[in-house]
């Protein structure tokens, strides 16, 4: 085993390799972990890179906003019942 810091460094490198276009298996081999560990990292992160620090624009809804709208729709509320940040309902 390694230290927790080494583990996080391997995981960060794994995600960087995926971002560069390597497949999961190849990225796992490159960082020295079993492919099942790579699967666990992807599953635990919901398929999204937890190390990505790219600034988000307000043009798109966040995951939290999407889930909130989905819950309202499941409850029978209309599209206009969903709270919007500052955008008019038609956008």
């Amino acid at each position: 085993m390694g230290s927790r810091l080494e583990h996080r460094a391997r995981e960060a490198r794994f995600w960087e390799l995926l971002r560069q276009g390597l497949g999961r298996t190849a990225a796992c081999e490159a960082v020295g972990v079993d492919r099942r560990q790579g699967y666990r990292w992807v599953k635990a992160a919901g398929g999204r890179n937890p190390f990505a620090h790219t600034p988000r624009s307000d043009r798109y809804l966040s995951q939290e906003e999407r889930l909130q709208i989905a819950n309202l729709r499941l409850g029978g509320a209309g599209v206009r019942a969903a709270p919007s940040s500052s955008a008019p309902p038609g956008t």
Side-chain angles (χ1 to χ4, degrees), residues 1-8 10 32-33 37 40:
M1 297 290 222
S3 71
R4 185 170 293 207
L5 186 58
E6 290 171 352
H7 175 78
R8 295 291 288 173
R10 282 185 177 182
V33 297
Q37 181 60 45
R40 286 186 210 105

Side-chain angles (χ1 to χ4, degrees), residues 2 20 30 41 81:
Q20 292 175 4
W41 283 337

